[in-house]
């Protein structure tokens, strides 16, 4: 076991650049090649969930603070942009940013008490607080209560973020959002916050003894994580044009957001992307072909996958890929 | 005025008093030793001084500030840094990254942190292992890393908790050379060891702790002849066999 994440490359790695370029080209060309709505829809969901998984990964993977309440950030993002659109006619683009910021505010409210708790208690606190938010929205008539909100149909345009004649624009927007989150994550791993996050994960007591304000940096990781999760929620609302508490605040969503990086490779840059490409098709197919069971089967499949990862490669599938390409010991 | 002054520090765990009205002063630029049998309360004192525990009573004055009750990170920023007896490297990071992390206290630039860390690793003799994952180092190298990392925060004073325990004779000599080199750079040092022999030759003054109480203080030669100290260490042979 040599270094997994290193500041300096062990050797120049042209293959890596080549693969990256091919991947980017394939992703950009996808809607031109595939015109069927279903595969496109699937790809949009994969890209969206990869983004959500990466957002979770910043907090849970790099900083080691495992949250099972990320649906709360996703949900407030979705509701914020939707309400701003319905009440004030605000463009969803600004709605997205507003949704992200409301998620940040909520994350600081959740984070402040939760970070005082250690280990499992933190996880439990995030579950409980997210459930409270879920229940509040279910009982809040102003935002549609349990029925939820149907977004108004607007003329198709970029500024309205609505496209009815084809879903290629949604595809490119989700791709751009993922690219942004990937870029931000990459930047974090190469700079002071990334080093601090990892030190907090490895040994918080040692980190403190070296002058690192761990609470401040956990809050920061939580804020970045929540922001992008909220943005993702706002995009989702625009894409499906209907939101209700059970779909955007559900505990199962929090589980799925966590599973993506855990399966793909927790604390790695590419793990969440890999995880989304495996989990989302799986979850869509079980839903379509084995639907009616009502989510229970999803759980069985997720559980089985997690057990496989835990047994064969706790660092996730990305570790296998790295071993294969990097030739690392 | 002393750089570090521990005044009447008391800390107990339930019925056990781990530190009882301990007074220790360290002058700027000194190497001061703190010895005592296993369980004497040395590590507890470290934890109280560096903010990991809150003392029941007493005061810690560092560099003119009353730092009693300050958080560990604030105490580090004030220039007082400790190492851990049970080493705590950032296990998943490389040796270089460990030291860089500590170095970010003084810079936001990754390049600067890397350059400084590389120089420090050169100085402490870990340069050829800079790319190894810290978790895979030998105990001796982990202790060396812990020291390098502490150094990266640019401390005024370092507190070492048994940095030489478990080292071979050669490794111990290397560690002593390193500590003397730090001393020459003007860093004040409080050296805690369980074994008397390594502390004596390099400390200007030595404090002895036994059952949480300071039983002696003086020059190494005096301490070595002190009846109570000898008794405490002889007693240890019966208290802690093996
Ligand atoms: N967190 C703690 N809780 C309870 N007892 C403790 C704790 N830390 C240390 N002690 C006790 O305090 C005494 C002093 O321990 P310690 O400071 O580790 O001694 P030393 O470092 O000199 O070997 C021991 O009896 C130890 O069992
Ligand atoms: Mg000790």
């Amino acid at each position: 076991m040599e270094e997994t994440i290193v500041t300096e490359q062990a050797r120049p790695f042209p293959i890596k650049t080549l693969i990256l370029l091919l991947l980017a080209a394939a992703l950009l060309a996808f809607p031109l090649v595939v015109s069927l709505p279903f595969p496109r829809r699937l790809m949009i969901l994969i890209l969206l969930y990869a983004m959500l998984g990466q957002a979770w990964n910043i907090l849970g993977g790099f900083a080691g603070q495992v949250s099972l309440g990320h649906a709360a950030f996703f949900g407030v993002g979705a509701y914020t942009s939707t309400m701003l659109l319905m009440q004030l006619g605000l463009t969803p683009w600004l709605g997205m940013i507003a949704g992200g910021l409301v998620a940040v505010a909520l994350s600081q409210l959740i984070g402040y008490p939760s970070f005082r708790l250690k280990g499992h208690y933190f996880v439990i606190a995030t579950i409980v607080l997210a459930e409270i938010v879920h229940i509040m929205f279910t009982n809040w008539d102003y935002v549609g209560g349990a029925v939820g909100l149907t977004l108004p149909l607007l003329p198709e345009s970029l500024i309205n973020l609505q496209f009815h004649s084809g879903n290629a624009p949604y595809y490119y927007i989700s791709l751009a959002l993922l690219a942004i989150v990937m870029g931000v994550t990459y930047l974090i791993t190469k700079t002071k916050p990334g080093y601090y996050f990892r030190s907090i994960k490895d040994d918080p007591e040692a980190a403190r003894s070296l002058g690192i304000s761990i609470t401040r940096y956990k809050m920061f990781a939580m804020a970045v994580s929540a922001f992008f999760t909220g943005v993702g929620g706002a995009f989702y609302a625009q894409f499906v044009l209907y939101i209700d508490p059970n779909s955007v605040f559900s505990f199962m969503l929090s589980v799925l957001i966590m599973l993506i990086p855990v399966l793909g490779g927790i604390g790695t840059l590419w793990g969440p992307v890999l995880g989304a490409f495996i989990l989302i098709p799986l979850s869509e197919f079980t839903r379509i072909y084995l639907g009616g069971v009502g989510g229970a089967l999803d759980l069985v499949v997720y559980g089985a996958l997690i057990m496989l990862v835990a047994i064969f490669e706790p660092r996730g599938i990305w570790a296998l890929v790295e071993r294969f390409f990097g030739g690392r010991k | 005025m002393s750089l570090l002054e521990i005044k009447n520090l008391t800390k107990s765990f339930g019925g056990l008093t781990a530190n009882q009205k301990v007074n220790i002063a360290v002058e700027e630029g000194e190497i001061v030793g703190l010895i005592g049998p296993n369980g004497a309360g040395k590590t507890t004192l470290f934890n109280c001084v560096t903010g990991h525990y809150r003392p029941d009573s007493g005061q810690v004055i560092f560099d003119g500030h009353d730092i009693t009750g300050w958080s560990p990170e604030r105490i580090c920023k004030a220039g007082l840094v400790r190492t851990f007896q049970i080493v705590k490297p950032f296990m998943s990071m490389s040796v270089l990254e460990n030291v860089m992390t500590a170095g970010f206290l003084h810079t936001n630039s990754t390049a600067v942190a890397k350059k400084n860390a590389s120089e420090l690793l050169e100085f402490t003799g870990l340069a050829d292992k800079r790319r190894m994952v810290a978790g895979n180092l030998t105990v001796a190298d982990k202790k060396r890393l812990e020291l390098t990392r502490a150094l990266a925060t640019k401390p005024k004073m370092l507190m070492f908790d048994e940095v030489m325990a478990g080292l071979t004779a050669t490794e111990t000599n290397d560690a002593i050379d390193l500590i003397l080199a730090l001393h020459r750079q003007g860093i004040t040092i409080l050296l805690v060891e369980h074994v008397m022999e390594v502390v004596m030759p390099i400390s200007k003054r030595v404090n002895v702790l036994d059952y949480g109480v300071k039983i002696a203080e003086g020059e190494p030669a005096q301490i070595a002849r002190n009846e109570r100290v000898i008794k405490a260490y002889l007693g240890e042979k019966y208290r802690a066999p093996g």
Side-chain angles (χ1 to χ4, degrees), chain A residues 1-10 190-192 195-196 198-200 202-203 205-214 216, chain B residues 52 71-73 76-77 81 84 88 90-93 96-97 100-102 104-105 107-108 110 114 130-131 133 136 149-150 153:
Chain A
M1 249 207 341
E2 275 291 287
E3 63 248 62
T4 40
I5 307 158
V6 266
T7 4
E8 39 183 351
Q9 284 302 332
K190 295 292 172 194
T191 53
K192 177 170 168 172
Y195 285 76
Y196 276 16
R198 285 166 61 204
S199 77
I200 292 168
D202 275 5
D203 197 319
E205 206 185 349
R208 296 187 74 188
S209 79
L210 295 169
I212 298 170
S213 309
I214 63 169
R216 220 174 94 205
Chain B
H52 295 273
S71 66
E73 55 269 30
C76 169
K77 284 176 189 155
V81 185
F84 293 90
K88 287 175 160 294
F90 302 127
M91 292 285 187
S92 74
M93 294 191 197
L96 180 68
E97 289 172 323
M100 284 171 70
T101 303
F104 277 120
L105 196 62
T107 177
N108 290 325
T110 308
K114 190 168 175 178
R130 64 213 289 270
R131 294 241 292 260
V133 169
N136 296 345
R149 211 174 51 176
T153 66

Side-chain angles (χ1 to χ4, degrees), chain A residues 87-170:
Chain A
Q87 300 294 323
L88 307 173
L90 188 72
T91 162
W93 291 101
L94 292 178
M96 253 188 214
I97 293 170
L101 292 177
V102 173
V104 171
L106 179 66
S107 81
Q108 304 300 288
L109 281 177
I110 291 181
Y112 190 75
S114 308
F115 284 135
R116 285 160 196 272
L117 306 169
K118 283 190 180 128
H120 305 306
Y121 295 105
F122 174 77
V123 184
I124 293 167
T126 59
I127 296 174
V128 171
L129 290 167
E131 254 339 279
I132 291 173
V133 176
H134 183 179
I135 292 165
M136 273 169 50
F137 272 80
T138 310
N139 293 297
W140 190 5
D141 291 333
Y142 179 66
V143 298
V147 180
L149 299 169
T150 304
L151 278 78
L153 280 186
L154 302 174
E156 169 163 321
S157 79
L158 191 61
I159 186 119
N160 285 339
L161 221 167
Q162 283 194 17
F163 311 96
H164 311 296
S165 52
N167 54 13
Y170 287 117

